[in-house]
Amino acid sequence: MEKSKSVSLVLSSGGARGLAHVGVIEELEKRGYHIAEIAGCSAGALVGGMYAAGKMEEFRDWICNLDRLDVFSLMDFTLSTRGFIKGEKVYNALKKVIEDCQIEDLSIPFYCNAVDYISGKEVVFRTGSLYAAIRASGSIPTVFQPARHLRYELIDGGVLNPIPLSLLQQAAENMVVVVGLNAGDSELVVPPKKDSKGKKFISMPAWVIEYRNKMRQYFPEQGKIEKPASLSSISLMTRSFDLLQDRFSALLIERHHVDVTVQVARNQAGILEFYRAEELIEIGREKAAMALDIWENGNR
């Protein structure tokens, strides 16, 4: 296969925004590209692992049928200070749809990362249980409890390597495509109302809209004096970490040869808004189409 059609794909961390990765993969396939290897981190590990296992259709059907209540019910909340979600319930539910397998048996080479928070070292998964790797890579600090694996306690790979270009093994032979999910507001897009097939996304029920409008008649919003936004200490710390990670991500891309970069805004969706699956998949497809158009026009 010619290099321009063979892809080394890198999928970054980003919580529910990772569902945009599905749309990117669909657009690559639609245009005849062959994904030769995948390096994923956190949400990128989840989507990349499902695709490498040949189970993208099953995963898409499952995730797109979850509403707010379903997502909430899959969150096994805990009072632990190590993370307010245990993180086991959602994977147990997914295992009922897609069975676990060994990474070395996947049809497409797949790699993902996590971090041993005690030693501060990156742990790379190239073999072993796919779900164990995904669970470890997606252990977002303070949100999900660390994952126990062998002698390690692991957290989200995005802490050290949010865009794991370093994990690729065939980059010199392929076109390198990176999907970043933590871009600035300049990459923010208005959520589409229909998917690529013209199907409308699930909207708010008419009775809810009517009720909301009636309540506004009886309880109109009062004018307020705008005040500068004030961040709490936790919010300030989170914002600071985001800025550091954004800059680090940019440096990673600068350091490696990258042919196509697809960027999705950090504010496009919250970390746990998985009920917006269809919308986010379509955003990923649209962003990929834009980036690939530029690449293809420049390489004709």
Side-chain angles (χ1 to χ4, degrees):
M1 172 150 320
E2 59 178 311
K3 178 177 179 179
S4 62
K5 285 293 185 178
S6 186
V7 172
S8 288
L9 182 62
V10 181
L11 305 176
S12 83
S13 58
R17 293 187 301 283
L19 296 174
H21 291 320
V22 177
V24 174
I25 290 173
E26 290 179 351
E27 185 64 22
L28 284 168
E29 286 193 320
K30 177 183 176 183
R31 294 180 181 230
Y33 290 94
H34 165 70
I35 299 175
E37 63 175 342
I38 300 174
C41 174
S42 194
L46 172 61
V47 174
M50 294 297 102
Y51 182 76
K55 299 295 183 179
M56 182 62 88
E57 185 176 349
E58 292 90 336
F59 173 73
R60 194 190 200 285
D61 288 343
W62 178 74
I63 201 74
C64 287
N65 281 289
L66 298 179
D67 58 22
R68 282 178 193 257
L69 187 57
D70 292 327
V71 172
F72 184 80
S73 68
L74 290 173
M75 301 293 106
D76 41 2
F77 296 103
T78 176
L79 296 177
S80 172
T81 56
R82 291 156 54 84
F84 62 86
I85 298 174
K86 293 179 182 178
E88 305 302 328
K89 194 172 182 180
V90 61
Y91 290 109
N92 288 336
L94 185 53
K95 284 178 185 177
K96 294 179 181 178
V97 180
I98 301 168
E99 293 184 359
D100 195 8
C101 58
Q102 299 299 299
I103 294 174
E104 58 269 30
D105 295 334
L106 299 177
S107 57
I108 298 173
F110 168 77
Y111 336 104
C112 69
N113 61 352
V115 175
D116 174 8
Y117 74 85
I118 295 176
S119 68
K121 295 182 179 179
E122 182 180 30
V123 175
V124 178
F125 291 87
R126 301 185 191 276
T127 60
S129 162
L130 177 62
Y131 276 109
I134 292 172
R135 168 68 179 88
S137 187
S139 300
I140 304 171
T142 73
V143 178
F144 291 97
Q145 291 187 344
R148 294 182 179 276
H149 180 72
L150 301 177
R151 65 182 185 278
Y152 305 110
E153 285 202 346
L154 304 176
I155 59 175
D156 196 319
V159 171
L160 288 183
N161 194 1
I163 300 181
L165 281 152
S166 59
L167 273 57
L168 295 175
Q169 296 187 332
Q170 304 171 32
E173 306 163 19
N174 300 322
M175 169 184 170
V176 178
V177 177
V178 169
V179 186
L181 303 174
N182 301 296
D185 287 347
S186 62
E187 297 291 343
L188 196 64
V189 299
V190 177
K193 295 181 179 179
K194 298 180 180 180
D195 63 18
S196 58
K197 297 180 181 179
K199 176 185 175 184
K200 289 186 177 181
F201 295 119
I202 298 174
S203 59
M204 190 178 295
W207 68 267
V208 175
I209 297 174
E210 183 180 358
Y211 177 79
R212 182 181 63 183
N213 291 336
K214 285 183 177 179
M215 288 301 99
R216 284 178 175 171
Q217 293 176 15
Y218 294 107
F219 303 101
E221 294 183 4
Q222 302 298 316
K224 296 180 180 180
I225 299 176
E226 292 292 332
K227 296 181 180 180
S230 178
L231 298 178
S232 66
S233 58
I234 295 178
S235 297
L236 182 58
M237 182 174 63
T238 301
R239 176 59 176 161
S240 299
F241 176 76
D242 289 344
L243 291 171
L244 285 170
Q245 191 178 57
D246 292 350
R247 180 54 181 157
F248 183 42
S249 296
L251 290 172
L252 287 172
I253 293 176
E254 289 176 11
R255 181 181 176 184
H256 295 81
H257 171 75
V258 176
D259 295 294
V260 176
T261 302
V262 180
Q263 294 283 12
V264 175
R266 180 188 299 278
N267 291 331
Q268 195 70 62
I271 290 176
L272 300 177
E273 291 185 311
F274 290 94
Y275 53 84
R276 296 173 59 189
E278 289 193 73
E279 170 194 325
L280 290 166
I281 290 171
E282 181 60 15
I283 287 173
R285 189 198 66 77
E286 289 186 5
K287 299 288 278 187
M290 294 169 59
L292 289 169
D293 282 344
I294 295 174
W295 160 259
E296 290 171 356
N297 289 334
N299 287 273
R300 286 177 177 172

